[in-house]
Amino acid sequence: MTKIRAAITGVQGYVPDYVLTNAELEKMVDTNDEWIVSRTGIRERRILKGEGLGTSYMCIQAAKGLFEKTNTRPEDIDLIICATTTPDMVFPATANLIGAAIGATNAFGYDLQAACSGFLYALATGSQFIETGRYKKVLVFGADKMSSIINYEDRATCIIFGDGAGAILLEPSETGNGVQDFILRSDGNGAPYLHMKAGGSARPATHATVDAKEHYAYQEGATVFKFAVSNMADVSAEIMAKNHLTADDVAFLVPHQANKRIIDATANRMGIATDKVMLNIERYGNTTSGTIPLCLWEYEPQLKAGDNLILAAFGGGFTWGALYLKWGK
Ligand code: UT7
């Protein structure tokens, strides 16, 4: 019997209209365009403006485009997984809000939180429901409204992050294309270096936590950088070796977009040339769960069925991993 694999049969992105440039950030904090570009590779990021608009809003826009593009009826969706660190609310799940808004009346859904590795974890999770034959159409989102948890007085974080959402449709394929393999890792010892101090059950919101600015992302950048560089490169090299892939076999590396220097180190370690590395960091910054599906969306016209892609991420948790995908149905 031919193995059923989970193929990405459609991808759609959404980024908000508002462009936050390095020049504008120079007026907000003590930073400069030269430092930001040379240390991160970021020139601008998108910010979602508008009262009451959260992560679900961006996912809904992406889903509408995806349905149109793939000729999919919302009522045919079986499952919605939303990878996000910035849900609309603590509960209910953002996936439920999306499902109601798009008319996915026969789907169940849940959120998955793995910081910047969220989309990778969600794609791996969604693929299992397809491979077992249980479901036929799984919607996976990678989306974050990072501007909702960023302190725009903290130059160590505000220059990095942006808002955006990507959506993919997973369907069964018996051609051999689809998700081939993944290696996922996490280590909670990394928590002190990248986290949000308050707002969870251990330290609920109080006037004091708000006054102390504890509801913003906190990052010790240099430490995270050190772990990101080695772990993302190692796991990417590991998945290639495990699947007997050489650099020539890989059509594209699809890396999480946290810092151009981390991406370059990963590509170097894999022996992948720069023209085979998907990039959107210059225009969107770090959209956390959004980076990888937004890359796939923008590079989709360059992809051919059967292309070998390596998706790789590192983020808060720490969480990291790599996934080997053959493009197309
Ligand atoms: O996506 C999830 C995982 N996150 C990541 O992978 C992010 C990993 N970390 C990074 O990308 C980098 O560490 C940052 C971009 C956050 C920072 O770059 P860095 O080269 O590691 O800088 P640093 O934190 O070591 O700081 C170097 C200097 C410091 O000044 P002194 O102490 O040398 O005088 C900082 O105060 O740069 C200063 N600095 C800045 N200067 C201008 C820090 N932020 C800025 C800034 N503008 N925005």
Side-chain angles (χ1 to χ4, degrees):
M1 213 173 90
T2 324
K3 183 175 166 49
I4 300 171
R5 293 189 188 275
I8 296 180
T9 55
V11 55
Q12 183 72 25
Y14 173 83
V15 289
D17 294 335
Y18 190 87
V19 179
L20 176 60
T21 62
N22 290 350
E24 190 177 346
L25 283 166
E26 283 178 5
K27 295 183 200 133
M28 296 158 68
V29 290
D30 180 15
T31 191
N32 58 80
D33 178 62
E34 196 279 328
W35 191 96
I36 300 173
V37 174
S38 64
R39 304 308 292 168
T40 70
I42 303 167
R43 291 184 191 277
E44 54 190 46
R45 56 301 279 143
R46 300 300 181 95
I47 303 294
L48 181 62
K49 304 266 187 183
E51 193 65 32
L53 298 186
T55 295
S56 71
Y57 173 82
M58 298 188 290
C59 294
I60 293 161
Q61 309 312 309
K64 284 180 182 162
L66 183 67
F67 288 156
E68 210 173 291
K69 199 168 157 182
T70 55
N71 220 358
T72 302
R73 299 183 324 155
E75 57 271 33
D76 291 339
I77 300 295
D78 300 305
L79 165 62
I80 300 171
I81 305 175
C82 180
T84 187
T85 304
T86 51
D88 283 27
M89 296 182 253
V90 171
F91 75 92
T94 304
N96 303 150
L97 304 175
I98 299 166
I102 62 179
T105 44
N106 295 308
F108 76 106
Y110 55 87
D111 290 358
L112 188 155
Q113 201 282 96
C116 295
S117 308
F119 179 76
L120 217 55
Y121 279 37
L123 172 54
T125 306
S127 71
Q128 303 308 292
F129 288 98
I130 298 282
E131 283 179 23
T132 55
R134 180 168 286 271
Y135 297 125
K136 298 274 184 282
K137 289 186 195 292
V138 176
L139 256 187
V140 177
F141 294 93
D144 273 295
K145 183 187 170 186
M146 290 307 290
S147 62
S148 66
I149 57 164
I150 292 300
N151 176 2
Y152 285 94
E153 293 173 351
D154 174 15
R155 69 175 185 175
T157 51
C158 74
I159 55 124
I160 302 169
F161 294 99
D163 303 339
I168 59 157
L169 181 64
L170 287 177
E171 292 183 275
S173 166
E174 294 187 25
T175 64
N177 291 339
V179 174
Q180 307 289 310
D181 193 15
F182 49 81
I183 303 171
L184 302 176
R185 300 255 155 78
S186 63
D187 179 1
N189 289 307
Y193 309 111
L194 182 50
H195 62 270
M196 194 162 94
K197 294 189 185 303
S201 57
R203 196 161 162 71
T206 61
H207 287 291
T209 62
V210 172
D211 291 345
K213 301 187 192 316
E214 291 179 352
H215 295 270
Y216 294 125
Y218 169 85
Q219 175 170 250
E220 290 178 26
T223 306
V224 178
F225 184 90
K226 200 177 72 189
F227 281 98
V229 161
S230 55
N231 286 325
M232 198 163 122
D234 283 354
V235 78
S236 304
E238 190 183 337
I239 202 154
M240 282 174 71
K242 191 175 162 212
N243 290 280
H244 313 291
L245 294 171
T246 66
D248 285 342
D249 298 324
V250 177
F252 278 101
L253 165 65
V254 195
H256 169 55
Q257 315 274 310
N259 186 315
K260 178 73 164 48
R261 291 183 289 143
I262 299 172
I263 296 170
D264 290 345
T266 303
N268 249 328
R269 176 72 187 283
M270 297 165 73
I272 304 273
T274 47
D275 62 337
K276 296 206 298 187
V277 179
M278 293 193 189
L279 286 175
N280 62 24
I281 190 168
E282 196 178 55
R283 286 168 297 120
Y284 301 151
N286 182 348
T287 51
T288 302
S289 296
T291 61
I292 291 177
L294 284 170
C295 275
L296 291 173
W297 170 52
E298 292 196 330
Y299 281 77
E300 189 186 16
Q302 297 182 47
L303 297 176
K304 299 184 303 294
D307 274 354
N308 292 319
L309 309 183
I310 301 291
L311 284 50
F314 182 90
F318 292 139
T319 55
W320 68 102
L323 184 145
Y324 166 32
L325 170 81
K326 268 189 188 294
W327 187 253
K329 188 166 179 184

